[in-house]
Structures are given as C-alpha cells and as structure tokens.
C-alpha cells in the first residue's frame, strides 16, 4: 500500500506542477518575459516549501511532495533538454569551436573555483566547506540558457553555440572537480591528493566523453539508417532508447548523465532521419522541459533564511556572477571578436541550476555542510537561475533596439 500511495502522490504532484508551470509560463508570455522563468517561479510558489505546504492530503502531507519519482522525472527532463541541444550542433561545428569552447569552459571552472575557495577560507570556513562552496560555483546549468535561447530563436547564433560547447566542457570538468573534492573527504587533507591525481581524474573524465562522442558519431547514424526500422515510431523509439542508454552509461562512468544525451544528440544531428527525430523530440520536450524547470523551482526552500544567511548568500551570488562573466565572458569576447556576444556568453553561463543542487546534496549527505551553508548554496542557485533568463532577454532586447528591429518575444509553444 505504501508503494501505491507513493505512485499516487507522484501522479498528483506531476499534474499540479505541470499545470502550474504552464499557467505561470502563459502569464510571463503575456508580459513578454521568458516562459522558463515563469516555470521556475511556478515551482517556487506551488512547491512543498511554499503554497504546497497548505495544499495537503487528509493525512496532512503535501499534494506536491517532491517524491524520489518526481525528482527522477526532473532529471529525465534535463536529459531530454540536452539531447535536444545536441541535435542543434553537428560534430564538425563542435570540433570547429573546440578551442574556444574548451578555453571558455575551463576558465569557467577554474576562475570560480579558486576565487570561491580563497574568499570563503578568508571568511573563516574550513577547507572542505570552502571547497564544496567553490565546486557549487563552477558548473553551469546549460538547460536554463538553452531554453531561453530557444524561446527567442537564438539557438543557432555564434554565442549560443559557444555557450553550448563551453557549458558541456564546464559540466564535465565540474563533475571531475566534484569527484576530486569528495575523494579528499571531510578532513580536508589536501596533502593526500597530488596534482598528478587531480590531472589524471580530469583527463579520465575528458577521455570518457571523447570516446562516447566518437562511438555515438560512428554508430548512431548507421543504426538509424538500417532498413529494419520500417514500423511506425521505430526510429523515434530507437533514438530515445539510445540517448537514455548513453545517459545511463555516462552516469555509470562517473559523468553527468546529460553529457551522454548531448553526445547522442550531436551524433544524430547529421542522420538522414534528423527531421523526423527533431519533430518527435520537440513534442516530448513540451512535457519534460517545463517539468524539469518547475521541479528545480520547487526544491527551493526559503523558510530557513535569516539576515546572516542573506549576507553570506549575497557574497556568493556576487562571486557566482562576476567569476562567470570574467572567466567565460572575457575570453568569449576575444574568440567571437564582439563584446556584446561575448557578454551574452558570460551571462548564459551564470545559472548554476541542478548541478549546484547536486553539490549541496553531496555536502549534506556527507555531513560536511552546515544548514546555514546549505541554505546559502540553495539561495545562490535560485538567484542565478532566475537572473540568467532575465538578463539574457534584456541583452537581446538591447541588441534589437540598436539594430532598429522589433524586440525578441518568446515563441509560443506549438
């Protein structure tokens, strides 16, 4: 009976979250604001830490409880979004932008990590807590920026391609950094980790990703071109099974699952059945994309925040924004030879999203983060996730005014 109750709670929770996400998205659309922002805020409003706490079952539990099943559906949403992003970037385009993407991605990890580590050690935090906070500052939530760029029809612009490529590199390195930090342990004994160990861990992760891309590029187009796929929906199902399988493989190898989905999407961007796959993926994205964003928003708990947490969170947010603008925006300006486009790359890399939540969760599970530190990371994730779509839209609106064109408006869902 307990399992049945969990399934019912998940079904009801998903229904409420999806309805709230689209209701708020429509409201934001009326005010020419990014729909993704409305979906995020819908989660914050209707989630179990806000209005959801007052919408309960007869036994007093929330109707929108974040069950493990709902969290899993949110992770599936991120996988679908990254597969869709991969479809927009061919392997040749990815390789062509490799130098720029790699440089921007690496600096987008190195600059936030070391500045965050130094600042929070100066604030009196112990070494391990400082490293966890610094790690939370490294990764970019690519799904947020992709959705905003897609809404405004900017997904094929030079800065969008650089954001996607750099964010993938950024995410891979952030996972490598997290694995190294976790291996150090709560004692914070840096002497037990040699530079060679760190380098090997990072190269190992990068090697796994490169191998995954190569296999996907050579195998996936040939697999879908086989004549046996003649039944209705066969190509779409095989494509879906492939990117879920790659996501699972990536997770098994210690990578983020979204990296595997992205690799398969990129491999299929040149497939003969590309249009068929793209059309199908857009349809499932209509469900899973808003579900991902509303669940991210629903995880934000602002109840325990006090003045001290707000002050520390303010410092983290400033560091989070400035280090991505400097680490990603400045080199992007050099590669794109355009200050405005480079700035948009920096802005697009600001959102920390689900990766920051993962780091916070690792710290709490290990008993290494205090409630205060955990709350500051969550607040930083929430603020950067909300700031990114607003700022990106403002930049594109400013560009449109300079060019004398109509400001971009979010595209309505078909």
């Amino acid at each position: 009976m307990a399992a049945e109750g969990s399934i019912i709670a998940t079904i009801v929770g998903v229904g409420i979250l999806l309805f709230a996400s689209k209701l708020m998205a429509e409201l934001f659309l009326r005010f020419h604001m990014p729909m993704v922002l409305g979906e995020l805020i819908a989660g914050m409003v209707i989630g179990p830490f806000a209005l959801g706490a007052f919408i309960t079952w007869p036994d007093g539990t929330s109707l929108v409880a974040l069950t493990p099943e709902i969290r899993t559906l949110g992770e599936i949403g991120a996988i679908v979004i990254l597969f869709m992003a991969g479809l927009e970037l061919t392997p040749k385009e990815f390789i062509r932008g490799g130098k720029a993407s790699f440089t921007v991605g690496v600096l987008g990890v190195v600059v936030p990590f070391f500045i965050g580590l130094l600042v929070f050690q100066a604030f009196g935090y112990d070494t391990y807590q400082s490293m966890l906070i610094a790690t939370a500052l490294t990764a970019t939530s690519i799904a947020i920026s992709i959705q905003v760029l897609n809404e405004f029809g900017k997904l094929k612009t030079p800065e969008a391609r650089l954001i996607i490529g750099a964010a993938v590199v950024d995410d891979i390195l952030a996972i490598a950094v997290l694995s190294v930090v976790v291996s150090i342990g709560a004692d914070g004994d840096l002497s037990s980790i040699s530079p060679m160990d760190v380098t090997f861990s990072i190269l190992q992760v990068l090697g796994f990703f490169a191998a995954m891309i190569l296999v996907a590029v050579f195998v996936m187009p040939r697999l879908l071109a086989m004549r046996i796929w003649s039944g209705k929906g066969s190509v779409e199902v095989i494509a879906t099974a492939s990117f879920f399988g790659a996501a699972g493989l990536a997770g098994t190898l210690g990578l983020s699952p979204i990296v595997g989905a992205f690799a398969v999407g990129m491999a299929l961007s040149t497939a003969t059945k590309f249009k068929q796959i793209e059309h199908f993926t857009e349809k499932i994205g209509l469900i899973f994309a808003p579900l991902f964003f509303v669940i991210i928003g629903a995880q934000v708990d602002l109840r325990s925040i006090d003045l001290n947490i707000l002050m520390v969170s303010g410092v983290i947010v400033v560091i989070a924004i400035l280090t991505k603008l400097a680490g990603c925006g400045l080199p992007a300006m050099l590669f794109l030879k355009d200050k405005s486009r480079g700035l948009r790359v920096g802005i697009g890399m600001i959102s920390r999203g689900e990766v920051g939540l993962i780091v916070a969760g690792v710290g709490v599970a290990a008993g290494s983060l205090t409630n205060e530190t955990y709350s500051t990371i969550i607040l930083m994730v929430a603020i950067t996730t909300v700031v990114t779509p607003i700022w990106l839209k403002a930049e594109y609106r400013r560009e449109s005014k300079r060019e004398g064109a109509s400001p971009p408006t979010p595209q309505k869902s078909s």
Side-chain angles (χ1 to χ4, degrees), residues 165-408:
V168 170
V169 173
D170 189 302
D171 195 57
I172 294 168
L173 292 177
I175 296 298
V177 169
L178 178 59
S179 66
V180 171
V181 170
V182 170
S183 70
I184 291 173
D187 57 1
D189 184 12
L190 295 175
S191 63
S192 64
I193 301 295
S194 69
M196 189 64 70
D197 291 331
V198 175
T199 303
F200 179 73
S201 294
I202 292 173
L203 289 176
Q204 192 176 37
V205 172
L206 289 173
F208 283 147
F209 176 63
M212 187 171 292
I213 287 182
L214 285 174
V215 171
V217 166
F218 283 106
V219 172
M220 291 310 304
R222 290 172 174 79
L223 177 64
L224 289 182
M226 294 173 68
R227 295 180 181 275
I228 60 173
W229 313 123
S230 57
K232 183 178 181 181
S234 293
V235 168
E236 292 87 344
V237 170
I238 294 303
T240 305
S242 298
F243 76 75
F244 275 133
L249 178 61
T252 303
L253 296 175
L255 293 168
S256 171
I258 62 176
V259 171
F262 177 82
V264 171
M266 194 163 58
L268 293 181
S269 64
T270 57
T272 54
K273 306 275 180 77
F274 169 75
K275 286 294 181 184
Q276 188 176 342
I277 297 168
E278 183 184 43
H279 179 72
F280 163 73
T281 310
E282 285 176 354
K283 297 303 180 186
I284 61 173
L286 291 177
I287 301 298
F288 281 103
L291 191 59
F292 166 74
F293 295 114
V294 75
I295 290 172
I296 287 292
Q299 294 180 64
V300 178
D301 184 359
L302 304 178
R303 296 173 302 177
S304 61
I305 293 173
D306 56 24
L307 183 59
N308 186 51
I309 290 176
L310 283 174
M311 290 174 63
V312 177
S313 298
V315 175
I316 294 182
V317 169
V318 170
I319 294 173
I321 292 173
L322 293 181
T323 53
K324 286 294 184 180
L325 288 177
C328 301
L330 292 178
M333 291 178 188
L334 296 175
F335 283 112
L336 297 174
K337 297 180 174 58
D338 187 304
K339 287 185 178 181
S340 297
R341 292 185 186 277
L343 176 62
R344 288 196 283 272
V345 171
I347 295 168
M349 300 287 282
I350 286 173
S351 174
R352 295 327 195 262
E354 73 285 355
V355 183
L357 296 175
I358 290 169
V359 174
V362 168
V364 169
S368 306
L369 287 182
T370 63
N371 288 334
E372 178 182 287
T373 307
Y374 177 78
S375 296
T376 57
I377 292 177
I378 297 301
L379 197 58
M380 178 272 291
V381 169
I383 293 174
T384 56
T385 298
V386 169
V387 163
T388 298
I390 294 176
W391 200 348
L392 267 181
K393 183 196 172 178
E395 280 300 311
Y396 280 118
R397 187 180 286 274
R398 194 173 293 118
E399 177 192 47
S400 295
K401 286 182 179 178
R402 284 198 302 267
E403 295 175 352
S406 301

Side-chain angles (χ1 to χ4, degrees), residues 23-35 37-38 41 151-152 389-390 393-394 397 407-412:
L23 197 63
M24 191 68 80
E26 288 293 331
L27 178 63
F28 273 59
L29 189 65
R30 299 296 186 275
F31 289 97
H32 304 294
M33 297 181 72
M35 290 190 295
L37 183 57
I41 292 178
E151 280 186 31
F152 293 114
I390 294 176
K393 183 196 172 178
R397 187 180 286 274
T409 55
Q411 297 173 359
K412 293 186 178 182

Side-chain angles (χ1 to χ4, degrees), residues 31-55:
F31 289 97
H32 304 294
M33 297 181 72
M35 290 190 295
V36 61
L37 183 57
E39 291 160 358
L40 285 163
I41 292 178
M44 295 180 189
V45 172
I46 201 67
F49 307 117
L51 288 182
F54 305 100
I55 309 172

